[in-house]
Amino acid sequence: MTSPLILVADDHPLFRDAVAVGMAAHLPDCRFETAATLAEALTLLQERTPALLLLDLDMPGAEGLSGLVDVRAAAPAVSVAILSATIVPAVVANAIALGARGYLHKSLDITEMIRAIRGLLAGALWLPPQLDGVPLASHSTATKLAMLSPQQLRILRMVTSGLLNKQIAAELGIGEQTVKDHITMILRKMGVTTRTQAAVEAERAFFAR
C-alpha cells in the first residue's frame, strides 16, 4: 500500500520545513511534500493525490479563507486543514463550513501536531483545544457557499475578481451561456439577486481572517 502523502503549504520556510521534516521523523509511514505559494500547492494537487493538505491561512496567492476556497474548487476530494498563528472562532467556523477538516494553531507542539495529523488522516474533524465548549456559529454566507459546487465556487471567485462572463468562459474553457447558468444558480443558492451582491457577500467569507 502506498504511504499517505501530506502536502504542507506555507510561505515561511522555517515553519514549513520544520513541519515536513520534523513530522516525517515521527510519522515514517507518511510522505511529505511542500509548497511555498498557493499556485505551487494547486499545481501539486493536480499532479499528486495527497491524503491531506495543511494549508497556511495567509500565503502568496491566498488571503484569509480564499486559499481554502480555491483548493476546494480545484480538488474537492482532498482533505484540507488550515494552519494559522491565530484562532478566531468565527474564522474557524467559516473554515469548517467551507469544507476544511481541521484548524491547527502553529504553536502546537510535536505531540499535538502528530495527534492532529493522525486524526485527520483517519477522517476525524480536528478543532483547536482552546475552542472546546465554545459554540461555533459560522457566518450565514459561509453556510450558503458550502452549498455551491466546486465549479460554482471557482466561478464565484472569478466574479469577485471582477471578471466578465466572457472572460470566465475563456478561462474555464466552457460556453458563456454555461457561465450564465452557473451564476443564476449561484445567486439562487446565496439568496441574492445580483452578481455584485454575491461578490460582496463572498468576499466577507473568502477574506475572513
Side-chain angles (χ1 to χ4, degrees):
M1 180 181 294
T2 304
S3 300
L5 172 63
I6 299 173
L7 176 58
V8 183
D10 192 289
D11 64 324
H12 295 93
L14 288 178
F15 178 81
R16 182 178 68 241
D17 294 342
V19 172
V21 176
M23 291 301 99
H26 293 275
L27 297 169
D29 53 328
C30 297
R31 296 174 294 131
F32 287 82
E33 291 193 27
T34 63
T37 67
L38 180 64
E40 288 182 17
L42 292 173
T43 297
L44 286 171
L45 287 175
Q46 298 305 311
E47 300 172 349
R48 312 279 197 274
T49 306
L52 175 64
L53 166 63
L54 301 179
L55 180 67
D56 189 14
L57 189 65
D58 287 295
M59 61 188 301
E63 179 184 350
L65 294 172
S66 65
L68 171 62
V69 173
D70 288 343
V71 167
R72 296 294 297 153
V78 173
S79 181
V80 184
I82 296 297
L83 292 170
S84 178
T86 61
I87 296 178
V88 179
V91 176
V92 175
N94 282 350
I96 300 306
L98 289 170
R101 294 297 305 163
Y103 200 100
L104 282 58
H105 195 275
K106 290 187 176 183
S107 67
L108 284 178
D109 60 30
I110 291 179
T111 300
E112 284 300 301
M113 183 67 78
I114 292 171
R115 284 185 57 207
I117 291 176
R118 288 203 179 280
L120 289 163
L121 289 175
L125 182 69
W126 186 274
L127 296 177
Q130 299 95 313
L131 296 183
D132 284 349
V134 177
L136 294 178
S138 62
H139 192 285
S140 60
T141 298
T143 302
K144 296 174 186 176
L145 294 174
M147 296 188 294
L148 302 183
S149 70
Q151 184 78 317
Q152 289 165 355
L153 273 175
R154 187 179 292 112
I155 289 173
L156 182 56
R157 281 282 283 126
M158 292 180 177
V159 169
T160 61
S161 297
L163 271 65
L164 302 176
N165 289 354
K166 184 176 182 179
Q167 295 170 307
I168 295 173
E171 180 74 19
L172 297 178
I174 59 178
E176 191 170 349
Q177 183 58 51
T178 301
V179 174
K180 292 178 181 178
D181 292 341
H182 276 303
I183 290 178
T184 296
M185 187 58 65
I186 290 169
L187 299 183
R188 185 177 303 166
K189 289 181 177 180
M190 293 187 67
V192 297
T193 57
T194 70
R195 61 191 292 146
T196 299
Q197 290 174 319
V200 169
E201 282 204 32
E203 283 185 350
R204 293 172 183 163
F206 289 165
F207 301 106
R209 308 172 69 169

